[in-house]
Amino acid sequence: MTHAADTIAAIASAPGAAGVGVLRVSGPQVPAIAQALLGRAPQPRHAHFASFRDADGEAIDHGLLLHFPAPASYTGEHVLELQGHGSAVLLDALLRRVCELGARLARPGEFTERAFLNGKLDLAQAEAVADLIAARSQAGARAALRSMEGVFSQRIDALLQALIALRVHIEAAIDFPEEEIDFLADPAIARQLDSLRAELAGLLREAQRGLRLNDGLRVAIVGRPNAGKSSLLNALAGSERAIVTAIAGTTRDVLRESVALDGVALELADTAGLRDTEDEVEREGVRRAHGELARADAAVLVTDEEHAAADLALFDALPAGAERVVLVNKIDLACTTAHAETRDGIRWLWASAKTGDGLDALREYLKQLAGAGAGSGEGAFSARRRHVLALETVGEHLDRTAHALASTRAGELAAEELRQAQHALGEITGSYTSDDLLGAIFGSFCIGK
Ligand code: GDP
């Protein structure tokens, strides 16, 4: 069943002088529009060479016409694809003609929205279409492709089935109040819940990795003034983006740089030297640096042998679970060579931002953290922040379910928590969504998708 009754059209490829221009049309009017343009009914999924004519029979362009009949199409509706010369003027004229024949201009993301509404894609898959188009790294694009193919959605569905099975079990117990307590004390229920929580924890970790692949790993570079933070940012970014000077406190604001390290996206932020200061502008910089740390996936502390121990306190502003790296910089001035150690679970690297000595180890480590280090990219899928937040919500409900079952054997409470967990999971794939959410998701697409 299709939900939308009208026919939409949009230019689906960026017109370029030498390229092919593509116009996409979807909706019930497509067969009539195709017939009008071709002069006869097109064969399904057949490339017809045609001259596209305006209302007066004047040729607009020559090109290929393809008809994908409903429901075996991207949107699930009748879809028409017109391929002409990649000229903005010609494509515009062709779009006008198609609109005369009964289509209207599509809104951003409307083709994919229809694919979602017609059950061709679930919401996570539809979002992956946009992420694939926007991918800034090869690893990100590969991950988005897997999500679009449904790898992430299948994992969500498997979790959903397990959750429903447990819910059924517990709700059945509630229906027999005399035996409820015995029912709920059944070790099988505890086992089911345990495996559900373990499965969720694994999926959450993978989704967090998917988020990093999608958005890029957010790395904050911290350290006292003059430690070499800007020099490090420049060395990683390969440009002179941050101003490097020998006057303490020059990096007053937060400088950001997007870096693609061998196909992995990193969002680097060079923060102000974190020290107590009277200077108004610098204080603002320090405040922002703390904000930057609070939202970072990882922090690189730039320091030297003398200050390293004291500087470790700068990691305190990081969220739990964020990765920490200590970079002992300026080894070219010290009697040390580039090397690495792990101390108390923190990676320590000795390097020189100035000469570049030892920085490859840092690059490799950051790539690994971003989820695409050597051999770790297998099967990775992309995810969005809202997916990760939803999975965290599911986790909270499962924790409360466990508590309700263990402490009070409160079946009603446990069942309610599971119901809410199911709801949060369903939001990821779109079984439960508000129109506002759909509007926000599809509104961020480009036109023609
Ligand atoms: P920030 O204040 O932490 O951003 O530090 P900068 O990157 O501005 O560097 C401060 C000074 O240290 C500059 O003069 C840099 O050239 C110098 N510097 C940075 N890294 C190194 C290094 O590895 N070796 C040497 N010899 N000097 C460095």
Side-chain angles (χ1 to χ4, degrees):
M1 192 192 91
T2 57
H3 293 252
D6 59 350
T7 298
I8 51 172
I11 295 171
S13 71
V20 174
V22 179
L23 197 77
R24 187 168 291 144
V25 193
S26 178
Q29 304 270 56
V30 156
I33 294 173
Q35 169 117 22
L37 286 173
L38 192 63
R40 61 195 154 88
Q43 275 181 47
R45 286 176 294 283
H46 180 88
H48 293 274
F49 183 71
S51 61
F52 308 129
R53 296 181 186 280
D54 67 15
D56 303 326
E58 192 86 27
I60 301 169
D61 193 7
H62 298 179
L64 296 180
L65 180 152
L66 291 111
H67 177 212
F68 302 91
S73 71
Y74 180 68
T75 57
E77 304 172 333
H78 283 291
V79 168
L80 184 65
E81 231 181 74
L82 303 174
Q83 302 182 1
H85 293 94
S87 139
V89 177
L90 293 180
L91 281 170
D92 207 48
L94 199 54
L95 183 60
R96 237 177 259 270
R97 177 70 185 130
V98 167
C99 288
E100 270 172 20
L101 290 168
R104 67 163 170 82
L105 294 182
R107 291 189 305 270
E110 204 173 356
F111 289 92
T112 309
E113 184 174 11
R114 288 186 176 196
F116 166 66
L117 293 173
N118 291 325
K120 287 277 167 178
L121 297 168
D122 67 32
L123 200 52
Q125 287 176 299
E127 290 171 297
V129 173
D131 295 337
L132 180 63
I133 295 164
R136 284 170 302 158
S137 68
Q138 276 177 16
R142 271 199 302 273
L145 193 65
R146 284 197 200 94
S147 285
M148 196 186 81
E149 289 168 351
V151 173
F152 182 36
S153 303
Q154 282 157 15
R155 298 284 303 276
I156 297 289
D157 283 341
L159 202 63
L160 198 59
Q161 294 316 317
L163 204 151
I164 291 171
L166 180 61
R167 232 188 113 184
V168 167
H169 222 120
I170 291 179
E171 301 219 349
I174 303 172
D175 288 342
F176 297 96
E178 324 75 60
E179 294 151 49
E180 180 179 337
I181 302 289
D182 293 342
F183 241 129
L184 295 177
D186 182 352
I189 288 195
R191 269 202 306 276
Q192 240 176 316
L193 183 59
D194 283 349
S195 81
L196 196 58
R197 291 168 86 190
E199 181 69 21
L200 175 76
L203 189 55
L204 180 60
R205 270 195 305 278
E206 286 183 67
Q208 276 161 339
R209 189 169 74 148
L211 177 63
R212 290 172 179 185
L213 282 171
N214 214 15
D215 283 6
L217 183 76
R218 285 189 303 213
V219 183
I221 300 176
V222 293
R224 61 180 68 212
N226 255 349
K229 299 180 295 298
S230 312
S231 306
L232 178 66
L233 179 73
N234 288 342
L236 292 176
S239 72
E240 289 295 312
R241 172 73 172 75
I243 315 146
V244 183
T245 65
I247 308 158
T250 36
T251 313
R252 284 177 156 170
D253 207 333
V254 175
L255 290 166
R256 282 172 215 285
E257 196 75 55
S258 280
V259 183
L261 275 187
D262 297 343
V264 177
L266 297 179
E267 287 293 321
L268 301 175
D270 173 9
T271 63
L274 292 173
R275 59 169 186 178
D276 291 330
T277 170
E278 291 298 307
D279 182 309
E280 199 53 39
V281 181
E282 206 177 322
R283 259 214 314 258
E284 174 60 18
V286 170
R287 196 185 60 73
R288 289 191 198 171
H290 273 288
E292 196 65 42
L293 270 176
R295 57 188 282 280
D297 299 312
V300 178
L301 167 64
V302 184
T303 184
D304 53 34
E305 293 280 9
E306 186 191 342
H307 301 103
D311 286 352
L312 284 175
L314 293 178
F315 284 144
D316 293 349
L318 280 171
E323 302 289 342
R324 287 133 220 254
V325 185
V326 177
L327 189 90
V328 183
N329 192 31
K330 305 193 186 183
I331 54 165
D332 54 309
L333 299 181
C335 301
T336 338
T337 49
H339 64 286
E341 274 177 31
T342 301
R343 295 183 189 168
D344 299 330
I346 296 178
R347 194 77 180 146
W348 287 59
L349 300 169
W350 279 258
S352 166
K354 193 168 188 173
T355 66
D357 195 19
L359 291 187
D360 277 348
L362 178 65
R363 289 193 182 92
E364 201 47 52
Y365 191 68
L366 291 177
K367 258 163 50 184
Q368 251 172 41
L369 292 185
S376 66
E378 287 302 301
F381 52 78
S382 71
R384 291 189 168 189
R385 195 159 298 280
R386 75 166 196 95
H387 304 149
V388 170
L389 293 176
L391 288 174
E392 283 170 357
T393 305
V394 175
E396 286 160 20
H397 288 303
L398 292 188
D399 289 348
R400 288 203 283 268
T401 308
H403 186 74
L405 288 179
S407 61
T408 50
R409 305 251 185 266
E412 296 276 2
L413 253 170
E416 173 57 19
E417 291 295 344
L418 286 178
R419 196 190 60 77
Q420 291 188 29
Q422 186 180 343
H423 196 280
L425 258 189
E427 277 183 349
I428 297 176
T429 48
S431 337
Y432 308 102
T433 38
S434 67
D435 288 348
D436 290 352
L437 177 66
L438 292 185
I441 289 172
F442 290 107
S444 67
F445 272 63
C446 43
I447 291 188
K449 282 290 162 203

